[in-house]
Amino acid sequence: MKKIIQDALSGNIRAISRLVTLVESQSPDAKSIMQDIYPHTGHAHIIGVTGSPGAGKSTFCDRLVDEFLEQNKKVAVIAIDPSSPFTGGAILGDRLRMQHLALSQNVFIRSMGSRGSLGGVSAATWEASLIFDACGYDIILVETVGVGQSEIDIMKIADTVCLILTPGMGDDIQIMKAGIMEIADIFVINKCDREGAEKVASDVSAMLKMFTTNSWIPSVRLVSSYSNIGFAEVANDIFSHEAFLSNTPAGKNKLLDRAALEMEKLLLNDLSQKVSLLWKAKCSVELLEKLSCRKINPYLLTSEITNEILK
Amino acid sequence: MKKIIQDALSGNIRAISRLVTLVESQSPDAKSIMQDIYPHTGHAHIIGVTGSPGAGKSTFCDRLVDEFLEQNKKVAVIAIDPSSPFTGGAILGDRLRMQHLALSQNVFIRSMGSRGSLGGVSAATWEASLIFDACGYDIILVETVGVGQSEIDIMKIADTVCLILTPGMGDDIQIMKAGIMEIADIFVINKCDREGAEKVASDVSAMLKMFTTNSWIPSVRLVSSYSNIGFAEVANDIFSHEAFLSNTPAGKNKLLDRAALEMEKLLLNDLSQKVSLLWKAKCSVELLEKLSCRKINPYLLTSEITNEILK
């Protein structure tokens, strides 16, 4: 295992891939891998890319990666496909679309399937980005399909969040519902050659004025993945936001908040795994039948078990 | 508190509302409320309604509620609005749309805001439906906006899951991605007066043939909320599915699986709350600064804290 970690830290792609798989599958080695990897992290910038289905997130990522490659950055892309709880598999559409990038030595593309467990995807995504960070990637792009609570949780691990909107999709209300608006640092109006793009941009700018409690004022950029317009500007905004995080008190506070959130998640995750094991050991058909026909009160049983395991 | 619980159990709407609020806000009384309420549950049928944004879930629920009211059922509707992590508020669009129902004595409509915490909404939704169940509601409709991992978690508490599709939305691939397909018991093709509805229905039926490992074969129903077509059939399918759950070995197994899942969630939730409190007590700016600049390894700190609290 030490050998694999050493190889990964020196940039060996197969070793990196192996580590991510071990961590994602929650192998018994996962914890010690992360302990060893962690001291090497802290260099990469993590960019979250989100937006409604059909907003063109994958193509946007594709072009943004090209932009970073031109600047001689090493880029890792983590594409999150909520997997079927039934098959455990994932639909590879988004990944396939990015395939031309797979030819570059400086890009690593990884699909993550959600493990169906609460916090599963966001934990795995966070740990994969730590691995990429430790192994020398400068930029980590995390792309999530769709907008929802778990996507928001995933986006919270990012340093900079790009929200992709498109003209004429009625996106605005959906986004406000999902609460992603407040965590976006850069608003990207994709497909800007379509009618209505300027309108979306000005609507977003107007909305942002209502929410300016942050000292970072989110930028609003018109972009076209198809005509390759606006990507240098988005990359610039990302670097400005990176500077904001490290050089201003408000930015530093944001990083502290994130550290607190990460630590809480790690704790929860660790305990969740222990609780799941414990519950699997206790659980029997007889017990479930009693629960199912209300002969056992699950709230009382919970207190009993909690008292059993906590000091 | 005993008085409020008694009032709620005898059907007092203000008392029921109070209980749901106390439980949703995780008040110190929440646990004892649920312990007292639980023995009175087990009579209601919980129906989950989900689908992509724009599929017409709210109007569908609206009509379905009318259908149940005609059958003299008491119906509770839980509409889940992912709240803004920023404001804690929720957009009330869906709720407003259902307002005409609020005039009936036999309908109780409740909006749930997600509390931003992992598992927060699904726990609160589950507990609210237990309260409605105990307080004499026959049918509990849980409506979630959008499709995603947290929605899947919410749908797992339902006895019967209705998935709403519409013609011409390119829904199919989105749904397969989200894995909701496998947990749906009834497929509803809404807006069936639009072109392409029959095609969606036959596509879904064809897909279902690929997934028939369950002994319940999901029904596919064409419905129009606008013209009020197909709701009696959907209500019938729901009752057939209810009979399947209570009268067949496969149905009973499904209920046992759910009991196991609920129990595991209760345990996790209870521990999560304890861990959050503990972490808040331990967390200081100094500690966060050390974490943020990598002077403390969070993986080692996690082990330390876990060892501290577990027997």
Side-chain angles (χ1 to χ4, degrees), chain A residues 82 177 264 271 275-276 309, chain B residues 82 177 264 271 275-276 311:
Chain A
K177 269 187 181 173
E264 194 177 339
L271 278 170
V275 170
S276 290
I309 58 173
Chain B
K177 269 185 180 173
E264 194 177 340
L271 278 170
V275 170
S276 290
K311 270 179 193 157

Side-chain angles (χ1 to χ4, degrees), chain B residues 207-260:
Chain B
M207 272 194 201
L208 286 175
K209 281 188 189 142
M210 292 160 41
F211 289 107
T212 40
T213 51
N214 287 325
S215 56
W216 168 260
I217 297 155
S219 54
V220 182
R221 290 286 175 196
L222 290 159
V223 148
S224 165
S225 301
Y226 183 73
S227 319
N228 209 356
I229 294 169
F231 286 87
E233 288 80 0
V234 171
N236 267 339
D237 288 348
I238 290 168
F239 294 127
S240 307
H241 188 250
E242 191 176 12
F244 160 79
L245 289 176
S246 25
N247 303 330
T248 67
K252 281 177 189 159
N253 276 336
K254 202 186 150 185
L255 292 179
L256 292 191
D257 287 350
R258 206 182 55 176

Side-chain angles (χ1 to χ4, degrees), chain A residues 203-249:
Chain A
D203 284 356
V204 168
S205 302
M207 274 196 200
L208 286 175
K209 280 186 191 145
M210 292 159 42
F211 290 105
T212 39
T213 51
N214 287 325
S215 57
W216 168 261
I217 296 153
S219 54
V220 181
R221 290 288 176 195
L222 290 159
V223 148
S224 165
S225 301
Y226 182 73
S227 319
N228 210 356
I229 293 168
F231 287 87
E233 288 79 0
V234 171
N236 267 339
D237 289 347
I238 290 167
F239 294 126
S240 307
H241 188 250
E242 189 175 13
F244 160 80
L245 289 176
S246 25
N247 303 331
T248 67

Side-chain angles (χ1 to χ4, degrees), chain A residues 138-211:
Chain A
D138 306 300
I139 301 277
I140 297 154
L141 264 180
V142 179
E143 184 210 337
T144 61
V145 285
V147 169
Q149 192 55 47
S150 44
E151 278 72 32
I152 292 178
D153 287 327
I154 293 163
M155 285 299 117
K156 282 181 183 160
I157 70 164
D159 296 302
T160 303
V161 173
C162 299
L163 174 60
I164 316 295
L165 302 170
T166 48
M169 276 187 68
D171 272 311
D172 42 349
I173 195 74
Q174 291 306 330
I175 278 123
M176 284 181 61
K177 269 187 181 173
I180 201 93
M181 189 100 185
E182 293 87 352
I183 63 164
D185 304 300
I186 299 170
F187 288 78
V188 176
I189 322 297
N190 196 11
K191 309 182 186 177
C192 72
D193 25 21
R194 288 203 193 161
E195 210 185 302
E198 305 274 351
K199 172 81 169 61
V200 177
S202 67
D203 284 356
V204 168
S205 302
M207 274 196 200
L208 286 175
K209 280 186 191 145
M210 292 159 42
F211 290 105

Side-chain angles (χ1 to χ4, degrees), chain B residues 4 38 44 46 50 54 59 87 102 110 143 169 231 238 242 250 269 274 290:
Chain B
I4 300 178
Y38 193 81
I46 306 175
T50 191
T59 349
T87 59
R110 176 83 195 195
E143 185 210 337
M169 278 186 67
F231 286 87
I238 290 168
E242 191 176 12
N269 236 44
K274 292 199 164 80
K290 282 182 187 158

